[in-house]
Amino acid sequence: MKRTSTYFAKPGDVPDQWRVIDATGISLGRLARQVAIALQGKDQPTYTPHVISGCHVVVVNADKVRVTGRKLMQKMYYRHSGYVGNLKSFLMRDMMEQRPERVVRLAVKGMLPSNKQGRQMLRRLRVYAGDQHPHQAQVGAAE
C-alpha cells in the first residue's frame, strides 16, 4: 500500500507571475477580493499557506472603481502621526479625488493576513489611477 503525501511548495519552487486587472466599473469590495486572492495564491493549485505562492498584481484605472450606497459621503479614512492630537480624518470622496490608488490599496490590505506574510504580499501590489503603467512585460496582459 503506497502512501501519498500532500504537496507543499517551497519558496524557490513558485515562479513569479504577473496579473494586470482593469478596475473600470468593478465594485471596490469585489475588486479587493479578486486582488487579495491573487496575491495570496489561493486561486492556484500550488497554494501553500506558509509560502507566498501568489502573483504580482497591477491594478489600472483605480479612479474608475465603482462605490455603492452612500460610502462616498459617509466612509472615513484615518491617519495618525503618533503625536498627541494629530488624528487626521478624510472622507472617501476626497480620497477618491486626490489618491484613488490609496483607496484600493487600503481595501486590499484589509483582506490580507495581518502579519509579516501579509505585508510581503502587499508589496507585490501596484495600483495606478490611469490606464498607463511602467511594467513593460505586462502591458498587453489586461484581464
Side-chain angles (χ1 to χ4, degrees), residues 11-24:
D13 294 348
V14 182
D16 276 347
Q17 297 174 344
W18 287 76
R19 188 176 299 175
V20 179
I21 298 176
D22 188 4
T24 305

Side-chain angles (χ1 to χ4, degrees), residues 2 8 13 18 26 30 50 56 68 72-73 77 105 108 114 122 132-133:
K2 183 180 177 187
F8 286 109
D13 294 348
W18 287 76
I26 301 177
R30 291 174 192 267
H50 62 277
H56 295 264
T68 60
L72 280 175
M73 296 305 296
Y77 290 98
R105 180 175 290 276
V108 172
S114 301
L122 196 61
Q132 301 295 321
H133 62 86

